[in-house]
Amino acid sequence: MSNEPVDVLIIGAGASGAAVAWSLADTRMRILCLEQGDWVNSANYPSAGPGYETRQDFAIRPNDRQLDVDYPIDDGESPVKVVNFNGVGGGTILYMAHFPRFHPSDFRTRTLDGVGEDWPIDYATLEPYFAENDRMMGVAGLAGDPGCPPKEIQLPPVPLGKLGERIAGGFNELGWHWWPSESAIATEPYNGRDRCLNLGPCSSGCAQGAKASTDITYWPYAIRAGVELRTRCRVREITVDKKGMATGVIYYDENGIEHEQKAAVVIVACNGVGTPRLLLNSVSTAFPDGIANGSGLVGKNLMLHAMAVVQGQFDARIDGFMGPIGCALWSKEFYETDPLRKFKRGYTMEVVRGSGPSGTALNGMMMGVLPWGSEHHAAFDQLFDKAGSICAVGEDLAEEHNTVTLDPEVVDSNGIPAVKISYTLGENSQKMIEHAGERAKEVFNAAGAIATSPTISSGVSSGHSMGTARMGTDPTRSVVNEWGRSHEVKNLFVVDSSVFVTSAGVNPTSTLQAVSLYIADSMKKRLATLFD
Amino acid sequence: MSDILASDSTYTEDERALLTRLCDLMIPAGEGRPSAADPELFNDILSRLSTHEALLKPALAILATLALEKLAASEQVTLINQHREAYATFFQVFESQVIQAYYANSAVLTSLGVNAPSPYPGGYDVEETDWSLLDPVRGREPFYRILGSGE
Ligand SMILES: Cc1cc2nc3c(=O)[nH]c(=O)nc-3n(C[C@H](O)[C@H](O)[C@H](O)COP(=O)(O)OP(=O)(O)OC[C@H]3O[C@@H](n4cnc5c(N)ncnc54)[C@H](O)[C@@H]3O)c2cc1C
């Protein structure tokens, strides 16, 4: 393995790392990406083999997977649990590919609603990058949604299925908005990817390759354009010189051997948990509290989204286990701030399809509704393929006490300090969750559900980690500037959702990829003066 | 199916017999589906349970004293239910492994209309949506917040 100096070193080959690598490739600079995980072979995805619902090697929580490429995350005290995937493609390997964009108002929450802070950029700035990213990922949907700004859509929408149609009927009954979800799923062959086969469990990887994970979207193009991607390389720290400029990184290879890699520019794309971890682990005389942490905000303002999940039970089979689990329809009825509500900002309601047989039975046992004995089968048939959920993804306001910090005791397989999540749901989020849960129940009732669950907001999982190295123009209130460059270290950039100033009421990947393309473009436009 | 072979397990004959009985009590045959004690299924369950022997054996020893075999099936289930709280860990592990084996079994999946052993490569046909369902929404004016200058 050659550790010759490179022009650009990207850390992390996930959603944002892939996008930035692809965009910078046309500069013809020498670009290297270091990724702690492996390439994933789609033939190994659970949905291609037996026991597909319960395999732990593709579990969404790293603490359940416990692979050596994972790092421990102590989220024991957080009501929202952190999920991720560490490998080429990052979280997009397991994501559900629900692909909404942030709304224009999400970038101006302080001005509009007196909460959070305004971003230093806006929707209009990102619009061309959203469009470019959509073309690279391939987005299925339907143009004309009155709840969102207009956009070009590449592919026909994911079919709603019986479950989606029933719930859509509920929204119609109430006179509330709904629309087929924008989904990063090839509903027809797209850019070498085959069409979706409605396998169901997108959240353990897509064996068909229809889901837009970046290992099969951006990376093949970036590599063809000359980017080098080195896997099983875990970065321990970013190194600096006496002038406080980044000089490269120290990383461990697959065999635990330590390497030094020099680079003229370092780009961090390790996600809202991995990025602050790396910055905080990069301690030097110049940066005793972690690199780029002059504001003291690295790891603070963590936003994981306020989630409210309600399950509805129907009296007939609804094909709930078929089709992309997280992509059917969304509702923006309660997205924007309404002064009549007890909270600011809002949420998107997203329909989640039902579980397969194992998931249904395990849940039924846990809830005490699946008995032993001769009644087992009848009880199972009452549950199986008759349930779906509405998950409200609500805007979580940035609060400094919600943090990612280094764990003083726990280390990963290379001895690098792991992370601890300290996170509570603020009052605004709690009121929003309460509101969303009640509205979801109303939808299910209007859709003819025979029962609904209580609102679940604790113990839910989130792969949406934002805000821990936020962008801004004021170096005392932000970690990076308005185009992703560290205020203090002029050749260090952050491109993932750590830079988000607000969390919006939608899933983040479309927006974080647009942000990373925008940062890459900003760098390209300033190549001659990049470090000024 | 578990990677561990049932033959690797060190459960005694008596313990296996009791586990077989418990499997059949938990999920008996019915609705065209096999019993969890069906030999192929039981082998899979046993191999899954072999990694939990240390945890399960002490509870099995106590459950053996209940002499379940002397009771009618419904009475056996009642008795088991009475012991679930006292041996919560045993039942959590046992039930979870039985379910994971049972509901991954090809015969069971097929009877439920689910592709066996896995969704891929067959996939599913989801019927095309009739988008006239959207007509009530289509008529609505854009309602996302359009920002004015300076906002
Ligand atoms: C189960 C699940 C479902 C989800 N569903 C959705 C959805 O429907 N819609 C949506 O928008 N989002 C969804 N997400 C979130 C989505 O996956 C993330 O928003 C997205 O992947 C984040 O992109 P990223 O580039 O910031 O980080 P990631 O994609 O997480 O990539 C970071 C990469 O950095 C690597 N890395 C970290 N530290 C180091 C280090 N020190 N050295 C080397 N490499 C390192 C990691 O291994 C990883 O590959 C979901 C996530 C999960 C897990």
Side-chain angles (χ1 to χ4, degrees):
Chain A
M1 189 178 308
S2 144
N3 285 318
E4 272 175 40
V6 295
D7 299 314
V8 179
L9 174 65
I10 300 165
I11 309 161
S16 60
V20 81
W22 170 79
S23 176
L24 289 178
D26 62 19
T27 60
R28 303 266 157 222
M29 292 190 287
R30 176 140 188 225
I31 303 171
L32 166 68
C33 177
L34 297 177
E35 164 56 51
Q36 67 187 344
D38 276 311
W39 284 94
V40 184
N41 177 351
S42 65
N44 292 338
Y45 283 134
S47 59
Y52 64 95
E53 285 184 85
T54 50
R55 261 178 52 188
Q56 290 297 299
D57 50 343
F58 283 90
I60 59 176
R61 293 194 62 196
N63 298 353
D64 292 337
R65 283 194 306 268
Q66 297 193 355
L67 304 177
D68 59 350
V69 295
D70 292 319
Y71 54 95
I73 297 179
D74 176 0
D75 55 10
E77 286 163 23
S78 167
V80 182
K81 306 299 174 193
V82 173
V83 299
N84 68 13
F85 188 79
N86 296 307
V88 179
T92 64
I93 295 294
L94 300 186
Y95 82 153
M96 299 195 195
H98 200 254
F99 220 61
R101 298 177 180 183
F102 275 29
H103 289 213
S105 70
D106 295 321
F107 299 88
R108 290 289 174 270
T109 63
R110 164 68 45 191
T111 302
L112 296 173
D113 298 321
V115 290
E117 282 185 38
D118 291 348
W119 291 52
I121 55 173
D122 59 11
Y123 184 89
T125 311
L126 290 181
E127 212 289 324
Y129 304 101
F130 274 124
E132 184 173 41
N133 188 53
D134 284 359
R135 285 192 293 274
M136 287 301 289
M137 298 290 274
V139 176
L142 203 59
D145 184 347
C148 305
K151 61 182 78 83
E152 187 193 316
I153 303 267
Q154 287 74 41
L155 293 155
V158 171
L160 295 181
K162 292 192 185 107
L163 168 70
E165 287 176 14
R166 299 268 309 240
I167 296 179
F171 278 108
N172 280 349
E173 185 72 25
L174 295 164
W176 290 351
H177 168 266
W178 68 275
W179 203 260
S181 292
E182 278 154 32
S183 317
I185 289 179
T187 47
E188 286 175 355
Y190 188 79
N191 275 358
R193 281 157 45 213
D194 219 339
R195 75 170 180 87
C196 173
L197 294 177
N198 300 307
L199 303 176
C202 309
S203 49
S204 56
C206 178
Q208 167 75 346
K211 185 180 80 170
S213 49
T214 59
D215 58 329
I216 56 171
T217 56
Y218 278 105
W219 275 116
Y221 290 98
I223 289 169
R224 228 172 291 147
V227 176
E228 183 191 353
L229 172 52
R230 230 177 264 166
T231 56
R232 295 303 295 255
C233 296
R234 177 179 268 149
V235 176
R236 184 184 76 198
E237 64 179 279
I238 299 163
T239 49
V240 286
D241 63 16
K242 285 191 189 123
K243 289 187 204 135
M245 292 288 274
T247 53
V249 300
I250 310 253
Y251 73 92
Y252 296 103
D253 69 16
E254 189 170 2
N255 303 314
I257 296 170
E258 190 179 310
H259 296 259
E260 186 173 9
Q261 175 66 56
K262 298 272 183 208
V265 172
V266 175
I267 299 179
V268 188
C270 297
N271 86 28
V273 174
T275 288
R277 176 188 185 220
L278 178 58
L279 298 179
L280 293 172
N281 268 322
S282 302
V283 173
S284 58
T285 320
F287 302 107
D289 299 323
I291 195 167
N293 197 16
S295 64
L297 290 176
V298 171
K300 294 192 176 152
N301 292 309
L302 172 67
M303 297 173 279
L304 293 172
H305 275 142
M307 308 256 200
V309 182
V310 173
Q311 195 185 70
Q313 191 72 33
F314 292 91
D315 57 2
R317 287 188 67 156
I318 44 172
D319 295 347
F321 61 92
M322 306 175 183
I325 183 162
C327 296
L329 62 95
W330 67 34
S331 170
K332 303 286 185 182
E333 187 66 29
F334 305 103
Y335 196 87
E336 305 285 359
T337 297
D338 179 342
L340 297 176
R341 291 183 211 129
K342 293 186 187 133
F343 55 89
K344 297 279 173 72
R345 309 299 301 152
Y347 56 89
T348 302
M349 286 200 246
E350 306 177 356
V351 168
V352 180
R353 296 177 206 252
S355 313
S358 291
T360 304
L362 286 169
N363 196 37
M365 271 290 166
M366 206 175 66
M367 307 293 282
V369 292
L370 193 58
W372 281 44
S374 55
E375 282 140 49
H376 179 91
H377 295 295
F380 178 83
D381 291 345
Q382 284 299 315
L383 300 174
F384 176 59
D385 197 20
K386 293 179 178 166
S389 303
I390 293 177
C391 173
V393 174
E395 177 157 352
D396 182 16
L397 300 177
E399 295 176 72
E400 276 190 28
H401 61 87
N402 286 333
T403 58
V404 175
T405 51
L406 296 179
D407 196 312
E409 276 144 35
V410 184
V411 292
D412 66 19
S413 57
N414 292 110
I416 306 172
V419 284
K420 182 169 172 55
I421 306 293
S422 303
Y423 175 84
T424 52
L425 286 161
E427 201 188 328
N428 197 66
S429 292
Q430 288 184 23
K431 288 183 177 155
M432 193 186 291
I433 285 169
E434 211 173 290
H435 186 272
E438 292 313 306
R439 301 296 82 74
K441 287 172 201 165
E442 284 178 49
V443 174
F444 274 124
N445 291 337
I450 53 171
T452 53
S453 73
T455 305
I456 303 159
S457 62
S458 185
V460 294
S461 300
S462 171
H464 310 166
S465 49
M466 298 162 277
T468 48
R470 69 166 163 198
M471 59 161 53
T473 48
D474 177 355
T476 65
R477 299 291 309 140
S478 55
V479 176
V480 296
N481 74 6
E482 67 278 19
W483 45 283
R485 191 182 72 179
S486 153
H487 288 299
E488 291 148 274
V489 184
K490 306 256 186 254
N491 60 345
L492 174 65
F493 293 78
V494 180
V495 294
D496 58 55
S497 51
S498 307
V499 305
F500 283 18
V501 180
T502 60
S503 67
V506 291
N507 322 56
T509 307
S510 164
T511 304
L512 74 88
Q513 288 186 304
V515 166
S516 61
L517 292 176
Y518 152 76
I519 294 174
D521 217 30
S522 304
M523 292 170 76
K524 288 193 277 191
K525 285 178 182 150
R526 294 174 168 89
L527 276 185
T529 55
L530 199 57
F531 308 144
D532 291 352
Chain B
M1 199 167 298
S2 164
D3 294 338
I4 302 160
L5 298 176
S7 53
D8 291 345
S9 118
T10 65
Y11 289 111
T12 63
E13 280 294 305
D14 285 351
E15 286 167 338
R16 283 177 194 227
L18 180 53
L19 285 168
T20 311
R21 178 175 298 279
L22 291 175
C23 285
D24 191 50
L25 286 176
M26 181 175 160
I27 313 185
E31 308 288 331
R33 288 164 225 161
S35 157
D38 165 274
E40 183 196 322
L41 264 159
F42 183 69
N43 251 338
D44 187 14
I45 292 167
L46 198 60
S47 56
R48 290 166 187 268
L49 294 180
S50 63
T51 47
H52 304 282
E53 285 179 3
L55 195 88
L56 302 187
K57 280 188 173 230
L60 273 177
I62 295 164
L63 293 173
T65 64
L66 300 178
L68 290 166
E69 65 284 357
K70 295 193 180 140
L71 303 170
S74 62
E75 290 169 334
Q76 295 182 42
V77 171
T78 310
L79 197 57
I80 289 294
N81 284 337
Q82 286 164 1
H83 285 78
R84 285 177 75 157
E85 227 170 276
Y87 303 104
T89 316
F90 171 88
F91 283 107
Q92 259 165 27
V93 173
F94 175 77
E95 287 172 351
S96 152
Q97 296 305 322
V98 171
I99 281 175
Q100 289 185 48
Y102 189 83
Y103 287 102
N105 177 270
S106 288
V108 175
L109 293 180
T110 307
S111 79
L112 295 171
V114 176
N115 289 354
S118 55
Y120 184 81
Y124 298 105
D125 287 326
V126 175
E127 58 197 56
E128 277 310 309
T129 305
D130 173 2
W131 294 112
S132 66
L133 243 185
L134 259 184
D135 287 348
V137 192
R138 280 201 170 101
R140 205 163 156 175
E141 287 297 311
F143 64 97
Y144 62 92
R145 236 151 137 187
I146 298 169
L147 309 191
S149 61
E151 279 186 331

